[in-house]
Amino acid sequence: MFEAHFQSFDDAPEGAASAPRVKALRTELARRGLTGFIVPRADRHQNEYVPAADERLAWLTGFTGSAGAAVVLMDRAALFVDGRYTLQARQQADLSIFAIEHLVENPPPRWLEANLAAGDRLGYDPWLHNVESAERLAKACVAAGATLVAVEADLFDAIWPDRPAPPLGPVKLHDMRFAGEEATAKLARIRGEIGKLKADALVISDPHAVAWTFNIRGSDVAHTPLPLAFALIPREGLPALYVDGRKLSNEVRHALAPLADLREPAALPGDLAALGAAKKTVRLDQATAADALARLITAPGGKAPRGPDPIAVMKAVKNPVEIAGARAAHRRDGVAVVRFLQWLEREAASGKLTEIDAVEALESFRRDTLALKDISFPTIAGAGPDGAIVHYRVTRKTNRVISPGLFLIDSGAQYEDGTTDITRTVAIGESTAEMRERFTRVLKGHIAIARAVFPEGTTGAQIDPLARQFLWRAGLDFDHGTGHGVGSYLSVHEGPARLSKLGTTALQRGMILSNEPGYYKAGEYGIRIENLVLVIEAPPVEGAEKPLNAFEPLTLVPIDRRLVEIGMLTAEELHWLNDYHARVARELAPHLDAQARAWLQEATRPLAVA
Amino acid sequence: MFEAHFQSFDDAPEGAASAPRVKALRTELARRGLTGFIVPRADRHQNEYVPAADERLAWLTGFTGSAGAAVVLMDRAALFVDGRYTLQARQQADLSIFAIEHLVENPPPRWLEANLAAGDRLGYDPWLHNVESAERLAKACVAAGATLVAVEADLFDAIWPDRPAPPLGPVKLHDMRFAGEEATAKLARIRGEIGKLKADALVISDPHAVAWTFNIRGSDVAHTPLPLAFALIPREGLPALYVDGRKLSNEVRHALAPLADLREPAALPGDLAALGAAKKTVRLDQATAADALARLITAPGGKAPRGPDPIAVMKAVKNPVEIAGARAAHRRDGVAVVRFLQWLEREAASGKLTEIDAVEALESFRRDTLALKDISFPTIAGAGPDGAIVHYRVTRKTNRVISPGLFLIDSGAQYEDGTTDITRTVAIGESTAEMRERFTRVLKGHIAIARAVFPEGTTGAQIDPLARQFLWRAGLDFDHGTGHGVGSYLSVHEGPARLSKLGTTALQRGMILSNEPGYYKAGEYGIRIENLVLVIEAPPVEGAEKPLNAFEPLTLVPIDRRLVEIGMLTAEELHWLNDYHARVARELAPHLDAQARAWLQEATRPLAVA
């Protein structure tokens, strides 16, 4: 009945045939006078999702996780993964070739310092590392008496016979009724920032920023409508947009022509070198700018200062049209998720429903909106113990029946008017007192964020602990941030603001973030309650001395009332929950059929102290 | 009747005769081929309180604030102070000579970059800047085409005729019944850290750390029992303690001789140069180590890596004897403060009592304990509008009558068994509803910290927002951290832990911090409620998955119940306050006379919802 178009359930391949590939790499290294090479999981833009052509790490090592790196020396090799992936790496990699190392505790530079020999020549692709990463590698090499060698050509072209072609996803215009601000206006603001930074030009290396600036979207990577592209914005004069011409229809080309000189990506190095030769100052994004970009500018004598991408904050602060779009997208998404939850409650009773069934159904309900462009990430559907695995992805092999207990489902959609991301944890049959008690602690944290009022200038790091205090009191916590920024028909993980210990960016009105505290009991169940929230001006307060902000929930889906221990909520918390549910019912009911509407009425019925 | 021995009420001198002094400095610079000089308010240890001989900045500019710097060039000069001191600097400095600049917004390096001419030679005393500060100056000079020149000799010796002599406060042994750990054991732990840091030796440049390590105290600066001294701890072999021999009695010398080679401070440069020549790695404290120390080691070829002082955390974590001492000190101090508050309530009714009267009385009650060694900082006694000035220090000129409204008094004591720091805000006559409402918001923040339960590894930055949430909701906040670390018969401001946005150090059991949220209404009144708290293991929680910590209040003094709006407190908050007051009454009553005991009983009577 249902099916998933945007997500596969294939098991990760095991036991890759790495031996001949590593051998081919070593032969190629020897040919080039190198004694080692580092292979990150990265493309030229430091993207979260990378195109198949950039899956060098997976091809070489068999490891298919979303973060990692390998170092191949002549007599040894190591694969670096973080705690999430240790098990998976051991299953996927050939352990007779690769030692598995911890990406965070023993990162490549540290490992290199200990394993390189004096005189070694370690190669790296300067397009796949940002400047900071390259500097760390260089330092490690120096410490070991070795040399770091930039290899401009892509070594893998020579050794990867059936390498996929780079993607050529068509570029589409992002209509003003979604974008809300003309590209010309955005470019004027960006030029103002370039002036403030005392630079002659800015390289946009983050394709999200390219997409936002020029009001375009693409389809080069999964789940995020990105066009892989660079741009170069001079303080004065016409910008250049570096994008493969085969991605541009005549219509798109026509619309973009007045905004930018449309150039092939192969022209970028020469253009940067020319600016360098003219001793210009070209500003780079410290996070996404490849080391190669900096080298192209500085080699002929230019300056390439790095810092936060000035576009990141502009993009994070949504304009009124984007905000209206986000509200519409969340209403639409809420209808789909409510239909799913009603279906789930009915069908799970059979005791036969699986995690994959749930993922397929949810995507199908979303496709029923006729507006779904993609899911915003692979749905995390965790029944029982699988819910305790924070980054769980169901496969045919791990697929579990949704049996009595808790079921956690974290999912999102890409609509042209907005990106969604929602987690609900629902009771299947009877829940235990412990589950309800912990669910309620997570809920209290969620409500503490939702109800927070805070002065302008407050950072996400200052907000994050409010979500944890009730868990802390019980000796519990969750091992991830409380929230991340979310794009507007862009990435579901968007900087620079976040609700976490590391959230040093001030929260500004118009930013959209997730509010997703959780609790995970390994081997038993997981709890997470996630709404997206919009930073808004707080309602006026008599006597206030500072401009105040607050959060407005965008997500409109009931929170499972059967899991709430009412006695643990304060009057204010109960009031918030009942208010939220009343709003969910009011906004969604008109768009539901009678059966779903009846379910919604019950699911949003006010809770009252007995 | 009462008097203050440890605090003066002299007004800051105005309109210093800077002209001849600046002229003398410029002549001396010219003689040495320099075109400018930077004069920080600093001694060789980056101390908070500096000896009179190091008050170069005050002598040159007239400015007597606790932080600042001056730059004198041949044709211009600037005095840099922070926001607290802008007004005072304008009153004290000769504005025909010094431009007043903002120390934070336009710090010396930035100003130098704009004001130095190419070819200028800027002098600095490498003993008065840490390495980072010197590096920033060097960078600014390079950017301006100028040269930074280290001037090893103290220029001021030549131009400051009646310069005070360096202090020779006698060094005293800090008895084991206060210190709780033998210096030999501390040295063994320090050597372990030196080994972990892969260094050959450690320079202790922070005299607090010298005092802690060798279980000694001194009296070289005000309010903190510091002996100005350096130490050099080799990974193996006898440490060297660099201290002026005239500070050492035969008894002290005898006790220290087995622990360290007692050397004159003048021997330090040669000893460091010898280590450098032997290519040793000598670790420096990044915060307090003077640039001169690094230069002495690196010039002949040694390594001088910098990092956090490993002693800082050891010193911050109090041992059981220090904790018992802190409890005793706070009981003793509580008795003195309660006697003061009872006296204040009786005497303020006359309408004639002044801020200075209060300061004198409080110090006198503390001296009555017969254990007072010093106050831990100049008492801040702010009646009405003066309470809104966070760093207020009363002088003969600013002295104000304590009239109806709020009176804020922030003070502390140095006892051999512990250092105290307490702020109480009390109602004088009738308070307004607004005062009570805001007092109660501050109190709710104070209680949120006092009641916090948090997993091991939690930082002060994560705790700080809990104190602000109730003020934020009303559009209010306070412009300082929530708390700072406190030493054990050492500095009342001790690192590395703090409760503030900048508190990145994990809170550990045994640390003592202040809990002092506030609210300040400029021109009207100030509110601050401060207790010292000890980080302890939280009472066991059923089902806890992590080791949990909590705070135990050390300070034992009633919080003014007349200012509490009971209806704004939750049941838990009311419970905490009543419990705290019951404990205060129980612990202090036995040490009070009948009259004070009666006052205490009333001041700690349980509050109940009407």
Side-chain angles (χ1 to χ4, degrees), chain A residues 424-482:
Chain A
R424 286 297 180 266
T425 305
V426 297
I428 306 294
E430 286 299 302
S431 56
T432 66
E434 182 194 273
M435 290 172 182
R436 291 191 300 275
E437 189 256 351
R438 290 180 183 186
F439 182 91
T440 308
R441 287 186 188 277
V442 173
L443 177 61
K444 286 169 77 79
H446 181 95
I447 296 175
I449 301 292
R451 290 187 65 239
V453 175
F454 48 92
E456 223 160 74
T458 301
T459 65
Q462 293 178 279
I463 295 291
D464 173 84
L466 303 180
R468 299 178 194 273
Q469 50 186 326
F470 310 101
L471 288 163
W472 283 354
R473 196 163 287 283
L476 313 172
D477 199 356
F478 54 95
D479 197 15
H480 57 73
T482 299

Side-chain angles (χ1 to χ4, degrees), chain A residues 438 451-455 457-459 462-463 465-466 469 472-477 501 519 541 543-546 548, chain B residues 438 451-455 457-459 462-463 465-466 469 472-477 501 519 541 543-546 548:
Chain A
R438 290 180 183 186
R451 290 187 65 239
V453 175
F454 48 92
T458 301
T459 65
Q462 293 178 279
I463 295 291
L466 303 180
Q469 50 186 326
W472 283 354
R473 196 163 287 283
L476 313 172
D477 199 356
K501 234 168 135 166
Y519 167 73
V541 178
E545 296 172 354
K546 293 163 183 281
L548 286 182
Chain B
R438 291 179 182 189
R451 291 186 65 238
V453 174
F454 47 92
T458 301
T459 66
Q462 293 178 279
I463 295 292
L466 302 180
Q469 51 186 326
W472 284 353
R473 194 162 288 283
L476 313 172
D477 200 357
K501 234 168 135 166
Y519 167 73
V541 178
E545 295 173 353
K546 293 161 183 283
L548 287 180

Side-chain angles (χ1 to χ4, degrees), chain A residues 344-363:
Chain A
L344 178 73
E345 187 172 310
R346 198 181 61 219
E347 299 296 324
S350 72
K352 287 182 182 158
L353 216 57
T354 68
E355 294 165 344
I356 289 181
D357 294 333
V359 172
E360 290 176 333
L362 178 52
E363 193 191 300

